[in-house]
Amino acid sequence: MKLILWAGAIVGAIALVVLLVMVGGLLPPQTIKLVEGYMPMQLLAELAFFVGVFALISYLLKQNGLGIPRFWQGLSFWIFILLYLTYRIYPPIPFSVRALFGTVAMVGVFMWVSGAEEDWKEFKKPILNVLDAVTPFHKALRTFYLIAIPIILWGFSYNSFLPNLDEPIELRTVHPAPPASTKVHGKTFVLQTSSNPYRVSPEGKYDQEYTNTLITEQSMGRLLKPDANPWDPKAEGYLKFVREGGEIFFQNCHFCHGDNLNGRGLHAFAFNPIPANFTDPGTLAQLQETFVFWRVAKGGIGLPREAFPWASVMPPWEQHLTTDEIWKVVLFEYWHTGYYPRTWD
Amino acid sequence: MEIVTNPLFWLALLGLGVILLAFVALKKKALLNNVYVAVTISLLIAVAYFHIVDHYMMDMQGLDYWYLFRK
Amino acid sequence: MGGLTRNKTLSIMALGAMIGLLLLPIVVSMPALAGGGGTPAAGGPPPDVAKKADTPEAAKVEKGRDVYYKTEGIVSGAPAPKTADNPQFYPRYNFESRVLLWFANQQHLYYGSFVLAVPIFCMIIEFMGIISKDKAMAKKYDQLAYDFIKISLTAYSLTAILGGILIFTFLTLYPAFFGYLSSIFRPVMHIYALLFVAESGTIYIYYYGWDRMKEGLLKWIHVSMSVVLNVIGTTLMFLANSWIGFMMSPAGVDEQGRYLGNIWHSIHTALWNPLNVHRLLGNMAFGGGVVAAYAAYRFLASKTDEERAHYDWMGYIAMAIGVAFLIPLPFAGYWLMREVYAYRQQMGITLMGGLLAWLFIIQATMIGILFLSANYYLWQAMGRMRGAEKYQRYIKYMVFVLVCGFLIFITPHTMVMTPTELKAMGGQQHPVLGNYGVMSAKNGGINVIITTTVLSFIWYARGNKVPMVSWARFGNIFMGCFFGMAYINIIWLAIYGYYIPANVRVGLSVPQVATTLSCLFFMTALNLVMLKGAKHSGAIEWGKISVRSQYALIMLATAFTWMMGLMGYIRSSVRLFWHVNEIMRDNSPWAYTHTTGFAANMISFNVLFFWLTILFVFFLATLGVKKAPVEAKVTVPGRVPEPATH
């Protein structure tokens, strides 16, 4: 039993060292792969693993008379979380979210160290020691803080007064509420009830269930379903329309939205914000097909009032494509990303 | 696969768990607090119960809980 | 003995009679009010009216089509006024009228919900006092209920005053809109006023008759009165809800806003019932929070151990009631959102994904804070029992689970970031954290949090007890397995949601909720059975609780207040530039949506103002009786009351 505990602690310690090396910048965070599609759970699992490891190490050290004081446990765990969030996750998390996570983690650490009265007393001890200056060392420390804290605060104030050259942050409404209906090429489409005329079964009837079985499979990459290759010259019906949509996409859209539909086309980085990433579960998968149709047809210029600050340079494609072509492109986008359009019933 | 997606299978499993529990509780009382027996019965009941919840709660809304498994 | 039973029967009959009498006018008036005399629930004009339309004498009667119920009715009101931006429609000071109205409305609502919730607690606690076999305990409960109603009495008059201010604000600043609203709801407003009179009468008799009616049959009549009081109070709230329901999802009028004669249609709009349920639960949770904060304030200010013991206990009871109603609240909210989506998809998207989505992130944060505070309080409360130490070392893991659930729950779908960060990330959505931003993950997060709260409650309930039933070990293992599987099921459903189409995915929240509720009901029930005849490892030492716990209670109450202000703002501003959605346009200069920052400041101001005034109310309550601590002394210290609702 003891052996297992020690083995676990050693594995954990190694993992910790690896993480620290990543923090030091000697290893890129992608060394231990964050597997696409599993990343959210992987992240939680990794954190849970580290919590277990810390509990184990702390327990073993305590058994051997080397217990770490609560104060340092709490502080170092919080720092660990901050480092983990900053250096482990790629691409980097924006500061606003890291600040949010860091604050919640701090609250969590506080709840932990003050959960039981004994723990809280133990946690407070080093702080009170310094405040009461129980030994000459503590006294020196207290004097140091007395000088250092105002200087740090001064530093913060100074920094905040420095002129800031960054663009201001904008709260952007990415998916504004759509209008009830939209008029394209003289025809009115009611968004709640319209459907893609090309999402059809072999008999030519609208059938989402059928078309959903033919979209690409999402696992490690995107795989064609067997017998569902749109570029097969014999492909008919839905698959044929997907191919036609693909051709339109690559003639018009891929320059910005990218040949993998991930919003990183040739010109993507000339724009701010960069074009929408359709492979993200938060874009196409969240929207009705008619919403996408409306956005493609009307472009950035047709964004409604609430979509402040209308940060989109997408052309209104109704000026360049026919209604049918727009529907086919939408069809292709859903097929390629492997997402189902949202439905409300 | 097909049997797993059938709620009757899970109901049967739940029934089995309950019967086992009743049997042990009434006839072999000493076994009830045996860790292995207790864990087996508890897991049987809990797993079956939550599958039933998942199935019927989706069924109630006219949806298919086993969507992915039938595809 | 026989006399007692007879008394009980008599009192129940008295109660029934009172409720019946109370409901009679409403029942009688409803069909009479409903225009053409058709049955209100069935809707639509009665056949004879439809037939008459063909005859020449009825030809000049104009008919209109209900915007929601799609039935035809005789036009019997003026169309909604078309306002313009001028002092005739919008008289004003040199200030934004909407903010004044906002303030008046919010304060009235805070006090209103407080005085509606507290009598419900009173009723529960007084009833518990009556059925309690333990004389000392019974007295303690009775005193507590009395304390509650005492606070609410001052708040009650404040509510009325604020209501008056609100009406005057409406009349002076929005005369056109208010005129239109009152032209439709004229009979409802009168019933409302009459009910208010009835409520006042009942509450005064209830309060001042407390000592006179403390024995036997009279006591039962007294409790029945609290029931009547709550029936009136709840009806009042439902009527007021019908107005806001009408503003959000109008019915009973035609496209021009002309009243069609069926008042039931105007009351019973698409969102009326979801709003009723959500507000009722919300008020209860809010009321519990405010009373808990009052107790915490008195605890912190206490000078003797007796006082501390009393207020510790009071805070605990209030918190338990508050949290008991907090747990179903997210589900009621979910129902409301579903109905909003069903009513107008656009409205739903504006709320959850569009213009107001940022406010929902703040709301998620507040909900998380509520649950975290409640859990923290329970862990602290274990400190006052001997024998609860065995659970305290698991706190760190519970914190971890709670924090993970919380983080997922608040991760925004679209993140706030500088343009540099945006480029580094390569899109508005983060490939890892973006997954937490969608509903599937968030449902998982909140259900994990609620399940953990249930677990905390169960641990608290058995803190100082050791189950002595012969199958105790099996019970513990079963409980462990059940909770474990519940967690796995919730997380599994959250992950599963990513792999199936949206229309199937939205249904997954129901089994998730069912899982959480299964834990709540089955496990608390099992726990109660297991703890029958349990060995006490030590008494609950009331008053020996950390100061931090009391701050957690205050935090809980503040979070409730803030969230109520926020949600009210969201609900109201989703109408965008309409006074009455799609019927009457708001043409004042203030028809725009405020910035998130301004709204947050305004809400904070409202919260601050409410707490300052309610502190004054608390202070008044302490002025009245200085003998309360002496009475508290009479009670047996250290007695263990059962956790109120769990």
Side-chain angles (χ1 to χ4, degrees):
Chain A
M1 189 63 198
K2 209 170 176 191
L3 206 67
I4 300 172
L5 286 185
W6 274 109
I10 288 166
V11 172
I14 293 170
L16 201 59
V17 170
V18 172
L19 186 78
L20 286 176
V21 173
M22 282 181 190
V23 170
L26 298 173
L27 269 178
Q30 279 292 30
T31 316
I32 295 173
K33 208 167 154 41
L34 282 160
V35 190
E36 195 185 351
Y38 300 89
M39 285 184 290
M41 281 323 284
Q42 189 185 353
L43 195 151
L44 289 179
E46 277 184 22
L47 278 176
F49 167 76
F50 276 116
V51 167
V53 164
F54 287 143
L56 190 61
I57 292 178
S58 156
Y59 171 76
L60 286 174
L61 285 176
K62 204 170 174 185
Q63 290 287 300
N64 292 290
L66 291 167
I68 310 166
R70 234 332 97 87
F71 178 75
W72 296 108
Q73 281 182 6
L75 195 64
S76 52
F77 185 70
W78 186 55
I79 292 171
F80 160 78
I81 294 284
L82 293 185
L83 291 178
Y84 183 89
L85 290 175
T86 318
Y87 293 100
R88 173 73 182 109
I89 298 168
Y90 186 85
I93 310 176
F95 175 76
S96 66
V97 179
R98 252 186 302 139
L100 198 69
F101 283 16
T103 314
V104 174
M106 189 163 74
V107 171
V109 167
F110 170 77
M111 285 169 72
W112 159 42
V113 295
S114 67
E117 197 57 36
E118 283 73 40
D119 282 350
W120 179 235
K121 280 205 187 99
E122 207 193 318
F123 180 81
K124 278 193 303 191
K125 218 162 77 186
I127 303 171
L128 290 178
N129 281 349
V130 172
L131 286 177
D132 294 343
V134 285
T135 63
F137 169 69
H138 286 120
K139 190 164 187 180
L141 208 57
R142 186 173 73 174
T143 320
F144 169 73
Y145 282 138
L146 201 64
I147 299 162
I149 290 175
I151 292 177
I152 293 169
L153 286 180
W154 169 79
F156 277 122
S157 328
Y158 178 78
N159 250 341
S160 67
F161 273 98
L162 281 180
N164 187 0
L165 299 179
D166 287 342
E167 301 163 55
I169 293 173
E170 278 165 349
L171 292 183
R172 189 170 154 241
T173 307
V174 181
H175 302 308
S181 63
T182 183
K183 203 168 175 184
V184 180
H185 294 300
K187 195 175 167 227
T188 304
F189 294 87
V190 178
L191 261 59
Q192 199 142 2
T193 51
S194 297
S195 58
N196 192 331
Y198 296 104
R199 189 172 284 284
V200 288
S201 63
E203 292 83 46
K205 261 177 55 190
Y206 180 85
D207 188 348
Q208 199 182 330
E209 285 295 308
Y210 165 74
T211 56
N212 282 350
T213 56
L214 296 178
I215 59 172
T216 57
E217 198 171 328
Q218 270 191 335
S219 55
M220 309 275 188
R222 295 179 204 290
L223 305 172
L224 287 185
K225 289 268 171 63
D227 309 322
N229 178 6
W231 276 267
D232 181 344
K234 290 197 288 287
E236 273 307 314
Y238 170 70
L239 287 174
K240 189 174 125 235
F241 300 133
V242 165
R243 181 178 68 215
E244 289 170 14
E247 281 158 11
I248 298 160
F249 182 88
F250 283 102
Q251 283 160 15
N252 300 283
C253 315
H254 99 283
F255 304 105
C256 299
H257 287 288
D259 46 11
N260 206 17
L261 279 69
N262 59 1
R264 294 173 189 216
L266 202 58
H267 304 312
F269 289 94
F271 302 125
N272 175 18
I274 66 167
N277 170 4
F278 300 143
T279 62
D280 187 284
T283 56
L284 285 184
Q286 293 289 317
L287 302 169
Q288 267 183 296
E289 212 168 4
T290 49
F291 186 104
V292 182
F293 173 79
W294 163 62
R295 285 295 56 245
V296 174
K298 298 295 172 190
I301 208 117
L303 280 169
R305 275 209 284 183
E306 69 163 283
F308 178 85
W310 311 284
S312 165
V313 292
M314 186 152 103
W317 284 100
E318 59 177 344
Q319 296 174 8
H320 308 277
L321 300 175
T322 64
T323 313
D324 288 344
E325 284 171 332
I326 298 177
W327 280 123
K328 282 176 188 166
V329 165
V330 174
L331 200 68
F332 169 76
E333 284 165 1
Y334 277 103
W335 172 83
H336 189 283
T337 51
Y339 289 126
Y340 314 104
R342 175 165 229 163
T343 46
W344 292 105
D345 41 23
Chain B
M1 210 66 209
E2 231 152 63
I3 186 154
V4 179
T5 59
N6 191 338
L8 291 178
F9 168 72
W10 296 105
L11 278 172
L13 218 57
L14 182 68
L16 181 70
V18 174
I19 291 167
L20 261 178
L21 175 62
F23 173 75
V24 174
L26 297 175
K27 300 277 173 189
K28 298 244 166 47
K29 194 112 202 216
L31 266 180
L32 190 60
N33 285 336
N34 178 308
V35 177
Y36 299 104
V37 174
V39 168
T40 316
I41 294 178
S42 308
L43 276 184
L44 205 61
I45 294 179
V47 171
Y49 172 76
F50 284 119
H51 273 101
I52 290 166
V53 166
D54 290 350
H55 175 87
Y56 282 105
M57 286 291 137
M58 292 294 277
D59 200 50
M60 204 177 70
Q61 307 171 76
L63 298 171
D64 183 15
Y65 169 66
W66 309 99
Y67 186 90
L68 197 68
F69 300 91
R70 287 200 217 278
K71 295 283 150 188
Chain C
M1 213 49 209
L4 195 67
T5 334
R6 208 182 60 216
N7 274 351
K8 271 189 194 172
T9 328
L10 268 177
S11 50
I12 290 167
M13 276 165 63
L15 170 69
M18 280 177 102
I19 296 176
L21 275 177
L22 185 83
L23 291 179
L24 196 63
I26 302 176
V27 175
V28 172
S29 61
M30 275 304 173
L33 292 169
T39 46
D48 58 332
V49 174
K51 225 184 287 165
K52 258 190 211 151
D54 299 330
T55 61
E57 57 169 338
K60 56 178 176 286
V61 175
E62 205 181 342
K63 292 231 220 147
R65 185 171 281 278
D66 193 316
V67 283
Y68 177 67
Y69 285 101
K70 305 291 177 209
T71 54
E72 283 208 330
I74 298 163
V75 172
S76 54
K82 291 208 173 10
T83 58
D85 180 12
N86 61 35
Q88 188 204 335
F89 291 110
Y90 298 104
R92 66 198 79 172
Y93 303 106
N94 234 340
F95 194 72
E96 189 181 335
S97 300
R98 186 171 46 155
V99 168
L100 293 175
L101 194 65
W102 186 351
F103 174 73
N105 228 327
Q106 188 65 62
Q107 294 303 325
H108 177 60
L109 270 173
Y110 277 146
Y111 276 96
S113 45
F114 180 65
V115 297
L116 287 181
V118 170
I120 302 184
F121 299 168
C122 271
M123 176 179 76
I124 298 171
I125 295 169
E126 195 186 1
F127 186 72
M128 276 164 67
I130 292 180
I131 57 168
S132 173
K133 291 190 190 77
D134 185 334
K135 275 271 152 37
M137 221 34 234
K139 199 166 164 48
K140 217 173 151 183
Y141 275 126
D142 201 62
Q143 178 65 34
L144 187 65
Y146 186 70
D147 278 355
F148 275 16
I149 203 77
K150 195 170 66 194
I151 308 170
S152 89
L153 208 62
T154 326
Y156 186 74
S157 55
L158 262 174
T159 312
I161 296 168
L162 286 164
I165 293 177
L166 176 61
I167 290 185
F168 286 136
T169 317
F170 259 126
L171 284 176
T172 51
L173 298 180
Y174 286 90
F177 164 64
F178 196 70
Y180 174 62
L181 198 67
S182 48
S183 76
I184 289 173
F185 284 100
R186 191 179 48 219
V188 180
M189 283 180 175
H190 273 123
I191 294 179
Y192 185 84
L194 289 176
L195 279 178
F196 206 83
V197 174
E199 164 113 4
S200 307
T202 323
I203 200 170
Y204 283 119
I205 301 172
Y206 182 66
Y207 175 71
Y208 288 109
W210 200 290
D211 281 339
R212 284 276 187 87
M213 306 170 83
K214 65 182 173 193
E215 303 273 309
L217 175 66
L218 279 176
K219 186 71 190 168
W220 279 97
I221 292 179
H222 194 247
V223 183
S224 322
M225 220 144 67
S226 72
V227 177
V228 173
L229 185 64
N230 287 315
V231 172
I232 303 177
T234 313
T235 317
L236 271 175
M237 188 188 71
F238 283 6
L239 291 183
N241 287 350
S242 73
W243 308 331
I244 58 166
F246 178 79
M247 285 165 73
M248 282 178 83
S249 56
V253 291
D254 70 359
E255 272 177 355
Q256 298 166 18
R258 294 182 298 183
Y259 178 54
L260 297 180
N262 190 338
I263 190 69
W264 179 245
H265 281 182
S266 298
I267 294 174
H268 188 219
T269 54
L271 300 178
W272 187 50
N273 273 325
L275 272 172
N276 284 342
V277 172
H278 195 261
R279 270 203 162 166
L280 191 62
L281 290 174
N283 285 352
M284 299 291 286
F286 169 75
V290 174
V291 175
Y294 167 71
Y297 159 79
R298 295 297 300 267
F299 179 94
L300 293 172
S302 314
K303 297 201 170 58
T304 62
D305 281 348
E306 284 82 13
E307 270 188 302
R308 260 191 285 277
H310 178 71
Y311 289 113
D312 180 11
W313 180 67
M314 181 173 178
Y316 167 71
I317 299 272
M319 191 274 323
I321 296 178
V323 173
F325 287 96
L326 173 66
I327 287 175
L329 199 53
F331 309 134
Y334 187 78
W335 181 40
L336 177 59
M337 281 317 300
R338 251 178 114 113
E339 293 300 313
V340 168
Y341 266 99
Y343 172 70
R344 285 284 182 284
Q345 188 194 336
Q346 270 166 287
M347 200 183 248
I349 295 181
T350 305
L351 279 172
M352 303 293 285
L355 192 62
L356 302 171
W358 290 104
L359 298 170
F360 265 86
I361 295 290
I362 305 178
Q363 183 233 3
T365 315
M366 300 312 282
I367 294 178
I369 290 174
L370 284 179
F371 278 105
L372 252 57
S373 315
N375 275 289
Y376 187 72
Y377 176 81
L378 286 172
W379 302 334
Q380 291 298 311
M382 284 185 200
R384 66 181 166 218
M385 306 188 241
R386 298 287 74 80
E389 297 82 5
K390 60 180 178 286
Y391 294 115
Q392 285 188 331
R393 64 193 146 118
Y394 298 112
I395 285 178
K396 51 177 171 286
Y397 304 111
M398 295 186 74
V399 171
F400 179 71
V401 172
L402 277 177
V403 166
C404 285
F406 187 24
L407 285 181
I408 291 170
F409 195 53
I410 63 173
T411 303
H413 183 216
T414 312
M415 295 165 181
V416 182
M417 54 194 148
T418 62
T420 337
E421 285 171 329
L422 180 68
K423 283 200 179 116
M425 223 171 81
Q428 284 278 352
Q429 274 91 22
H430 194 280
V432 183
L433 302 182
N435 288 298
Y436 297 147
V438 294
M439 219 50 221
S440 197
K442 291 199 187 304
N443 278 337
I446 189 66
N447 277 297
V448 162
I449 292 178
I450 299 179
T451 309
T452 311
T453 311
V454 173
L455 190 60
S456 281
F457 250 115
I458 287 178
W459 279 357
Y460 174 81
R462 46 161 67 193
N464 61 342
K465 299 189 188 97
V466 183
M468 294 309 279
V469 286
S470 61
W471 44 275
R473 188 159 188 187
F474 173 79
N476 284 340
I477 290 174
F478 184 78
M479 215 182 247
C481 286
F482 198 85
F483 265 108
M485 287 317 296
Y487 277 118
I488 291 174
N489 194 37
I490 290 170
I491 296 168
W492 148 248
L493 289 173
I495 301 171
Y496 186 46
Y498 287 92
Y499 294 92
I500 52 178
N503 57 338
V504 185
R505 184 198 314 145
V506 291
L508 286 179
S509 59
V510 178
Q512 269 178 335
V513 167
T515 307
T516 307
L517 292 181
S518 300
C519 282
L520 177 63
F521 293 124
F522 295 152
M523 291 300 104
T524 39
L526 178 64
N527 196 41
L528 280 181
V529 177
M530 278 177 76
L531 290 182
K532 213 158 235 175
K535 195 176 77 185
H536 285 255
S537 54
I540 296 183
E541 295 160 345
W542 291 105
K544 292 209 173 139
I545 190 168
S546 70
V547 182
R548 297 189 298 288
S549 67
Q550 303 302 309
Y551 288 115
L553 286 184
I554 293 175
M555 176 88 188
L556 196 74
T558 316
F560 267 131
T561 327
W562 212 93
M563 198 160 105
M564 216 167 121
L566 176 76
M567 296 316 285
Y569 167 67
I570 295 177
R571 189 201 49 68
S572 188
S573 57
V574 73
R575 279 178 288 119
L576 302 174
F577 44 83
W578 297 99
H579 283 313
V580 178
N581 199 26
E582 293 166 16
I583 298 282
M584 184 179 177
R585 208 183 154 108
D586 182 352
N587 286 319
S588 70
W590 311 289
Y592 61 92
T593 304
H594 276 300
T595 59
T596 309
F598 181 88
N601 284 337
M602 187 65 203
I603 294 162
S604 300
F605 172 74
N606 271 329
V607 169
L608 205 65
F609 189 87
F610 170 71
W611 279 105
L612 284 178
T613 48
I614 200 127
L615 267 181
F616 177 68
V617 173
F618 290 168
F619 167 72
L620 283 182
T622 61
L623 276 187
V625 251
K626 278 288 171 198
K627 63 177 198 274
V630 186
E631 275 182 34
K633 216 175 220 166
V634 182
T635 64
V636 186
R639 264 291 309 168
V640 192
E642 288 302 315
T645 38
H646 280 266

